[in-house]
């Protein structure tokens, strides 16, 4: 299903979304020579629980999480990470976000976009649904030269996206990617998020269970699921 992917852009909501949801697929694609750009709408700046240590603010946490994300991206061979600095927990798929994502589609010229399924009724995090909504909303106008023509200066062309893949729970027919050969890299990249997973020996049992259930559908140890959305 991913054989045609040459250059991909991932629209995520939070710093660890890519690693936990498609870290294995990302490593598989970059090993194959696919260029991947990771767009993260927030910097995960409310990603803390329990008693907040003295001196930790949303600003300091955002800086830490951006560093963690860049380290994880390097582990997975991701070419570039772009943060759009929307407030964590308050992402809205508004016209500004649509234009910001369209600008990135035009600048990076991906043939494929990966993002959340905004229609999945099981989605508990509003930022995930909003990220998917904004990414899909940007798709069509980004192809049209009269939409934000100021983005098309200096040789930047309209977007030419051919494939859209939805992740993170979908309403549509899934396919499963066997990520067993990339499992260790997925775990390593996930554990780069020390602010979220402070014990490096932590076995990430939830991730193992989640990926194991996906893998079981195609009789392999670990899988990641996606749905293909028809675009033209
Ligand atoms: Zn998330």
């Amino acid at each position: 299903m991913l054989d045609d992917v040459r250059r991909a852009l991932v629209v995520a909501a939070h710093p660890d979304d890519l690693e936990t949801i498609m870290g294995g697929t990302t490593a598989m694609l970059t090993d194959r020579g696919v260029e991947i750009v990771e767009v993260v709408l927030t910097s995960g700046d409310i990603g803390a629980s329990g008693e907040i240590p003295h001196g930790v603010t949303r600003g300091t946490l955002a800086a830490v999480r951006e560093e963690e994300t860049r380290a994880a991206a390097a582990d997975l061979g991701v070419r570039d990470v772009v943060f759009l600095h929307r407030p964590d927990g308050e992402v809205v798929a508004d016209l500004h976000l649509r234009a910001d994502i369209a600008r990135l589609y035009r600048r990076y010229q991906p043939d494929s976009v990966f993002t959340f399924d905004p229609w999945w009724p099981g989605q508990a995090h509003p930022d995930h649904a909003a990220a998917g909504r904004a990414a899909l909303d940007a798709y069509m106008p980004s192809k049209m030269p009269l939409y934000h023509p100021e983005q098309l200066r200096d040789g930047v062309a309209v977007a030419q996206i051919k494939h859209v893949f939805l992740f993170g729970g979908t309403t549509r027919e899934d396919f499963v990617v066997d990520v067993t050969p990339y499992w260790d890299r997925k775990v390593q990249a996930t554990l780069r998020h020390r602010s979220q997973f402070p014990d490096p020996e932590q076995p990430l049992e939830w991730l193992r269970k989640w990926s194991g259930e996906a893998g079981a559908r195609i009789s392999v140890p670990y899988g990641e699921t996606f749905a293909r959305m028809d675009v033209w």
Side-chain angles (χ1 to χ4, degrees):
M1 289 298 273
L2 301 176
D3 292 349
D4 296 341
V5 177
R6 299 283 179 275
R7 187 178 294 186
L9 190 147
V10 180
V11 179
H14 307 110
D16 51 8
D17 289 344
L18 179 146
E19 295 81 348
T20 54
I21 297 169
M22 60 173 289
T25 302
T26 299
M28 180 193 78
L29 290 172
T30 59
D31 271 9
R32 194 199 283 171
V34 175
E35 286 190 358
I36 295 190
V37 173
E38 177 182 7
V39 178
V40 191
L41 302 189
T42 80
S43 298
D45 46 286
I46 63 168
S49 56
E51 186 142 344
I52 307 299
H54 182 69
V56 172
T57 65
R58 289 182 67 157
T60 63
L61 183 56
V64 166
R65 299 202 66 187
E66 290 188 13
E67 277 305 305
E68 292 171 346
T69 306
R70 291 188 197 285
D75 288 342
L76 298 174
V78 170
R79 174 187 158 194
D80 210 351
V81 185
V82 179
F83 291 95
L84 290 182
H85 300 120
R86 292 308 195 272
D88 191 4
E90 298 177 309
V91 177
V92 178
D94 60 16
L95 296 180
H96 294 292
L97 184 55
R98 185 184 302 178
D100 282 352
I101 295 172
R103 180 186 293 111
L104 297 171
Y105 290 166
R106 290 166 160 186
R107 173 177 159 199
Y108 286 104
Q109 290 292 317
D111 53 58
S112 303
V113 168
F114 291 78
T115 194
F116 288 95
D117 182 342
W119 302 286
W120 183 45
Q123 182 57 262
H125 203 313
D127 288 352
H128 291 174
R133 178 78 265 164
L136 297 182
D137 285 350
Y139 158 73
M140 192 63 79
S142 69
K143 299 196 297 183
M144 299 173 171
L146 293 178
Y147 175 75
H148 284 277
E150 78 282 0
Q151 296 178 354
L152 299 172
R153 294 190 187 125
D154 302 323
V156 175
V158 294
Q160 300 184 60
I161 296 160
K162 299 181 180 67
H163 313 289
V164 174
F165 300 99
L166 303 177
F167 58 50
T170 71
T171 55
R172 302 164 62 90
E173 186 69 19
D174 284 338
F175 64 94
V176 182
V177 175
D178 176 11
V179 299
T180 308
Y182 303 94
W183 176 253
D184 289 345
R185 281 174 73 189
K186 177 184 173 86
V187 169
Q188 177 189 339
T190 301
L191 289 174
R192 289 283 187 184
H193 295 275
R194 290 288 290 276
S195 66
Q196 310 302 299
F197 313 113
D199 179 1
E201 302 304 318
Q202 178 178 304
L204 296 175
E205 277 308 323
W206 58 273
L207 189 62
R208 185 181 297 276
K209 178 171 183 292
W210 189 21
S211 305
E213 286 169 1
R217 293 172 48 189
I218 56 168
S219 303
V220 300
Y222 300 114
E224 291 173 345
T225 59
F226 300 91
R228 185 181 200 120
M229 181 173 165
D230 291 327
V231 293
W232 63 92

Short mmCIF file of all heavy atoms in Angstrom, two decimals, residues 12-18 20-21 42 65 88 116 123 125 127-128, ligand 1:
data_model
loop_
_atom_site.label_atom_id
_atom_site.label_comp_id
_atom_site.label_asym_id
_atom_site.label_seq_id
_atom_site.Cartn_x
_atom_site.Cartn_y
_atom_site.Cartn_z
N ALA A 12 1.06 15.77 12.68
CA ALA A 12 0.78 15.24 14.01
C ALA A 12 0.34 16.39 14.92
O ALA A 12 0.56 17.56 14.60
CB ALA A 12 2.04 14.57 14.58
N ALA A 13 -0.27 16.04 16.03
CA ALA A 13 -0.71 17.07 16.97
C ALA A 13 0.32 17.31 18.06
O ALA A 13 0.51 18.44 18.51
CB ALA A 13 -2.05 16.68 17.59
N HIS A 14 1.00 16.23 18.47
CA HIS A 14 1.88 16.29 19.65
C HIS A 14 3.24 15.66 19.36
O HIS A 14 3.36 14.85 18.44
CB HIS A 14 1.21 15.56 20.83
CG HIS A 14 -0.17 16.05 21.12
ND1 HIS A 14 -1.29 15.28 20.88
CD2 HIS A 14 -0.61 17.25 21.56
CE1 HIS A 14 -2.38 15.98 21.19
NE2 HIS A 14 -1.99 17.18 21.60
N PRO A 15 4.22 15.99 20.19
CA PRO A 15 5.58 15.52 19.97
C PRO A 15 5.75 14.01 19.85
O PRO A 15 6.62 13.57 19.11
CB PRO A 15 6.35 16.09 21.17
CG PRO A 15 5.66 17.38 21.44
CD PRO A 15 4.21 17.06 21.23
N ASP A 16 4.98 13.19 20.55
CA ASP A 16 5.22 11.75 20.45
C ASP A 16 4.21 11.01 19.58
O ASP A 16 4.21 9.79 19.52
CB ASP A 16 5.30 11.10 21.84
CG ASP A 16 4.09 11.47 22.70
OD1 ASP A 16 3.14 12.08 22.19
OD2 ASP A 16 4.11 11.13 23.91
N ASP A 17 3.38 11.73 18.85
CA ASP A 17 2.37 11.06 18.02
C ASP A 17 3.01 10.19 16.93
O ASP A 17 2.63 9.03 16.75
CB ASP A 17 1.45 12.08 17.34
CG ASP A 17 0.49 12.76 18.30
OD1 ASP A 17 0.31 12.26 19.43
OD2 ASP A 17 -0.08 13.80 17.92
N LEU A 18 3.95 10.76 16.21
CA LEU A 18 4.55 10.01 15.09
C LEU A 18 5.22 8.73 15.59
O LEU A 18 5.01 7.65 15.03
CB LEU A 18 5.55 10.88 14.34
CG LEU A 18 6.26 10.20 13.15
CD1 LEU A 18 6.53 11.21 12.03
CD2 LEU A 18 7.58 9.55 13.57
N THR A 20 4.81 6.91 18.38
CA THR A 20 3.94 5.86 18.92
C THR A 20 3.01 5.28 17.86
O THR A 20 2.70 4.10 17.89
CB THR A 20 3.10 6.40 20.10
OG1 THR A 20 2.39 7.57 19.68
CG2 THR A 20 3.99 6.76 21.28
N ILE A 21 2.58 6.10 16.91
CA ILE A 21 1.58 5.64 15.95
C ILE A 21 2.21 5.06 14.69
O ILE A 21 1.74 4.06 14.16
CB ILE A 21 0.63 6.80 15.57
CG1 ILE A 21 -0.15 7.25 16.81
CG2 ILE A 21 -0.33 6.37 14.47
CD1 ILE A 21 -0.93 8.54 16.62
N THR A 42 1.47 21.27 17.97
CA THR A 42 1.74 21.83 19.30
C THR A 42 3.13 21.36 19.73
O THR A 42 3.70 20.47 19.11
CB THR A 42 0.74 21.36 20.36
OG1 THR A 42 1.11 20.03 20.79
CG2 THR A 42 -0.69 21.33 19.83
N ARG A 65 10.41 19.29 25.03
CA ARG A 65 9.73 18.33 24.16
C ARG A 65 10.12 18.52 22.69
O ARG A 65 10.15 17.56 21.92
CB ARG A 65 8.21 18.42 24.37
CG ARG A 65 7.83 18.06 25.82
CD ARG A 65 6.40 17.60 25.94
NE ARG A 65 6.19 16.34 25.24
CZ ARG A 65 4.99 15.77 25.07
NH1 ARG A 65 3.92 16.38 25.55
NH2 ARG A 65 4.86 14.63 24.43
N ASP A 88 -1.22 23.56 23.16
CA ASP A 88 -1.55 22.15 23.41
C ASP A 88 -2.90 22.06 24.10
O ASP A 88 -3.18 22.78 25.07
CB ASP A 88 -0.45 21.57 24.32
CG ASP A 88 -0.51 20.07 24.45
OD1 ASP A 88 -1.34 19.44 23.79
OD2 ASP A 88 0.31 19.54 25.24
N PHE A 116 -4.20 12.14 11.26
CA PHE A 116 -5.29 11.51 12.00
C PHE A 116 -6.58 11.47 11.19
O PHE A 116 -6.84 12.38 10.39
CB PHE A 116 -5.56 12.30 13.29
CG PHE A 116 -4.51 12.15 14.34
CD1 PHE A 116 -3.49 13.09 14.45
CD2 PHE A 116 -4.51 11.07 15.21
CE1 PHE A 116 -2.50 12.96 15.42
CE2 PHE A 116 -3.54 10.94 16.18
CZ PHE A 116 -2.53 11.88 16.28
N GLN A 123 -12.14 8.83 18.90
CA GLN A 123 -11.04 9.75 19.19
C GLN A 123 -11.31 10.57 20.45
O GLN A 123 -12.24 11.38 20.48
CB GLN A 123 -10.84 10.70 17.99
CG GLN A 123 -9.69 11.68 18.17
CD GLN A 123 -8.38 10.95 18.43
OE1 GLN A 123 -7.94 10.82 19.57
NE2 GLN A 123 -7.76 10.46 17.36
N HIS A 125 -8.97 12.59 21.97
CA HIS A 125 -8.19 13.83 22.09
C HIS A 125 -8.62 14.84 21.01
O HIS A 125 -8.46 14.56 19.81
CB HIS A 125 -6.69 13.54 21.96
CG HIS A 125 -5.86 14.61 22.60
ND1 HIS A 125 -6.09 15.96 22.38
CD2 HIS A 125 -4.83 14.54 23.47
CE1 HIS A 125 -5.22 16.67 23.07
NE2 HIS A 125 -4.46 15.83 23.75
N ASP A 127 -7.26 17.50 19.99
CA ASP A 127 -6.16 17.95 19.13
C ASP A 127 -5.92 16.99 17.97
O ASP A 127 -5.52 17.40 16.88
CB ASP A 127 -4.86 18.09 19.93
CG ASP A 127 -4.86 19.27 20.89
OD1 ASP A 127 -5.79 20.09 20.85
OD2 ASP A 127 -3.91 19.35 21.70
N HIS A 128 -6.13 15.69 18.22
CA HIS A 128 -5.91 14.72 17.15
C HIS A 128 -6.94 14.91 16.04
O HIS A 128 -6.61 14.94 14.85
CB HIS A 128 -6.01 13.29 17.70
CG HIS A 128 -4.88 12.93 18.62
ND1 HIS A 128 -4.85 11.74 19.31
CD2 HIS A 128 -3.76 13.60 18.96
CE1 HIS A 128 -3.75 11.70 20.05
NE2 HIS A 128 -3.07 12.81 19.86
ZN1 LIG B 1 -1.20 13.17 20.56
#
